[in-house]
Amino acid sequence: MVGIKASFVLRNLKRVNGEAIDIVIVNGYIVAVTEAGDSVGDRIVDCSGTYISSGWIDMHVHAFPDFDPYGDEIDEIGIKQGVTTIVDAGSCGADRIAELAASRAHARTNVLAFLNVSRLGLARMDELSNLEWIDAVKALQAVKEFGEFIVGLKARISRSVVNGRGIAPLRLARALSHQAALPLMVHIGSGPPSIEEVIPHLGKKDIITHYLNGKSNNLFDAEGKPLVVLVNAIARGVHLDVGHGSASFSFAVAESAKRHNIGLNTISTDIYRGNRLNGPVYSMANVLTKFLYLGYSLEEVIAAVTTSAAQWLEKPVLGRIQVGDLANLTLFTIRNESTTLVDSEGELRITDQIIEAKGVVINGEFIECEIRT
């Protein structure tokens, strides 16, 4: 394809399988993927030593800045992280989902959302402690109004959130998800209710987020073996999402999961202002680095934030690099340098390879990243 005139050419890139390519982008769309060095255009971006993938997708963030502590600006946890699509994981319920949807107009990052089954959302931390706050009429109206934006429902089923209501909020959330014809993302954490009570309510395409948390009410026994309820859930087609966050990722549990061939579906950050600035999350690149350290291949790690996430969202275009597609891409490098990684339990690991986001092409526009790894 020598001689193509383009808005710009990303030259001398590497796919995660090592293939060297150029990508030619005209008017925001991919018009050619050629052998490295073959393409010319109006603007050349030399990407020697840089990997390319379809744009990273973060399936669990909190992007409603009005809420404290669980909030942040969209682009701070999106394109500045090398992430082209974020999915807000239930920050807002029916009361304020319209505001989150409207905020997309002021951001460059692509935004989707799970609707919190509590109409209050994260305006308070015990949003499922009063069953009257699970307002099916308002929730279904929100789904009808913002159907292109809302990808599922979210229920946080842990002790501090349900506050003595046990499994009742989950039963209502399950019924609501059936009425809305949408999958359910369930946050797991401290009990009660016990994990054995929670997981059987989930079915095909539902999501367990925080599945690698190190709390006593987790999905693995004292010897690190997966519980029967987890094995059965996987067999039913339940999707496992990392949701690292401030309190929900344990190296020890992740090592057990890998040892027993559990996962890997999607890697997500559960990022918001506090754990972006102060850790232990910092960035998507930092979380991906942890899985590279755990022994997953680069192909597996990147698939967990591209093709696997896109497949769950039923938006395959977001998980590929293909001629004719609007360009949503992430550029990144792997730096060989010793660094310390920390999980949500304060446990440390030393790695010698660091993933660093270098830039994105977001809806056809090239933007360099300026993030903390």
Side-chain angles (χ1 to χ4, degrees):
M1 303 292 278
V2 176
I4 287 178
K5 290 296 181 182
S7 298
F8 62 95
V9 175
L10 301 176
R11 179 175 283 175
N12 297 322
L13 294 157
K14 291 187 295 183
R15 294 184 188 267
V16 292
N17 65 5
E19 180 188 3
I21 61 171
D22 291 349
I23 297 179
V24 185
I25 298 171
V26 176
N27 298 324
Y29 287 83
I30 299 171
V31 300
V33 179
T34 74
E35 291 186 12
D38 273 1
S39 299
V40 297
D42 302 328
R43 178 188 175 198
I44 304 293
V45 181
D46 183 11
C47 301
S48 298
T50 303
Y51 286 94
I52 188 75
S53 71
S54 56
W56 292 350
I57 301 166
D58 194 337
M59 289 281 288
H60 186 150
V61 307
H62 291 288
F64 193 68
D66 285 6
F67 287 161
D68 184 41
Y70 301 133
D72 208 343
E73 301 293 336
I74 290 171
D75 287 340
E76 292 294 333
I77 55 178
I79 58 170
K80 292 184 181 181
Q81 299 273 337
V83 175
T84 58
T85 300
I86 62 172
V87 187
D88 184 280
S91 297
C92 295
D95 284 356
R96 303 193 69 176
I97 193 67
E99 294 172 64
L100 179 59
S103 69
R104 294 176 293 172
H106 307 291
R108 290 176 168 180
T109 308
N110 301 316
V111 186
L112 299 166
F114 289 90
L115 177 73
N116 197 309
V117 296
S118 167
R119 64 177 179 80
L120 303 180
L122 300 186
R124 55 186 297 157
M125 296 297 96
D126 61 347
E127 75 271 17
L128 294 180
S129 62
N130 185 334
L131 300 184
E132 293 182 0
W133 294 335
I134 305 175
D135 189 320
V137 173
K138 287 187 175 181
L140 293 171
Q141 180 58 39
V143 169
K144 181 179 179 181
E145 186 172 355
F146 300 105
E148 87 295 346
F149 174 55
I150 295 171
V151 299
L153 304 182
K154 172 73 179 292
R156 298 198 306 146
I157 306 299
S158 58
R159 181 178 58 209
S160 62
V161 181
V162 302
N163 196 19
R165 296 293 180 177
I167 211 71
L170 179 56
R171 294 185 189 279
L172 291 175
R174 175 78 284 167
L176 182 55
S177 79
H178 288 321
Q179 289 178 276
L182 287 172
L184 183 63
M185 174 187 270
V186 171
H187 151 124
I188 59 171
S190 299
S194 73
I195 202 69
E196 288 85 359
E197 292 179 279
V198 172
I199 303 305
H201 291 272
L202 305 183
K204 186 175 182 179
K205 205 179 176 184
D206 292 330
I207 297 176
I208 301 169
T209 192
H210 309 316
Y211 83 101
L212 297 176
N213 80 75
K215 299 171 185 178
S216 59
N217 192 42
N218 72 26
L219 290 163
F220 298 82
D221 67 20
E223 297 178 350
K225 296 179 181 178
L227 300 181
V228 172
V229 289
L230 173 58
V231 174
N232 291 343
I234 293 170
R236 293 195 301 274
V238 176
H239 182 101
L240 304 180
D241 178 66
V242 170
H244 186 302
S246 299
S248 298
F249 174 76
S250 161
F251 274 126
V253 173
E255 288 158 353
S256 293
K258 188 172 191 306
R259 189 163 60 250
H260 292 283
N261 299 310
I262 298 297
L264 184 64
N265 293 152
T266 50
I267 298 172
S268 66
T269 60
D270 186 16
I271 198 168
Y272 46 86
R273 190 178 300 106
N275 64 29
R276 170 174 62 85
L277 297 175
N278 304 314
V281 175
Y282 296 115
S283 68
M284 173 59 87
N286 182 273
V287 176
L288 296 180
T289 295
K290 292 170 182 176
F291 283 84
L292 201 62
Y293 160 80
L294 286 165
Y296 292 95
S297 70
L298 181 62
E299 290 92 338
E300 290 173 310
V301 170
I302 298 303
V305 290
T306 55
T307 53
S308 182
Q311 181 180 14
W312 189 93
L313 290 168
E314 298 181 357
K315 297 179 183 294
V317 68
L318 295 178
R320 68 191 187 197
I321 301 174
Q322 186 167 302
V323 171
D325 288 346
L326 186 62
N328 284 282
L329 308 167
T330 297
L331 292 83
F332 64 98
T333 59
I334 298 179
R335 180 160 51 92
N336 295 319
E337 180 180 313
S338 180
T339 193
T340 300
L341 303 172
V342 60
D343 69 5
S344 300
E345 307 289 313
E347 291 294 318
L348 306 179
R349 299 289 190 274
I350 306 297
T351 186
D352 57 6
Q353 287 191 310
I354 306 166
I355 296 175
E356 291 186 329
K358 293 298 182 181
V360 298
V361 180
I362 179 73
N363 298 321
E365 180 184 0
F366 178 65
I367 301 171
E368 294 187 63
C369 290
E370 296 179 5
I371 67 167
R372 180 178 180 180
T373 302

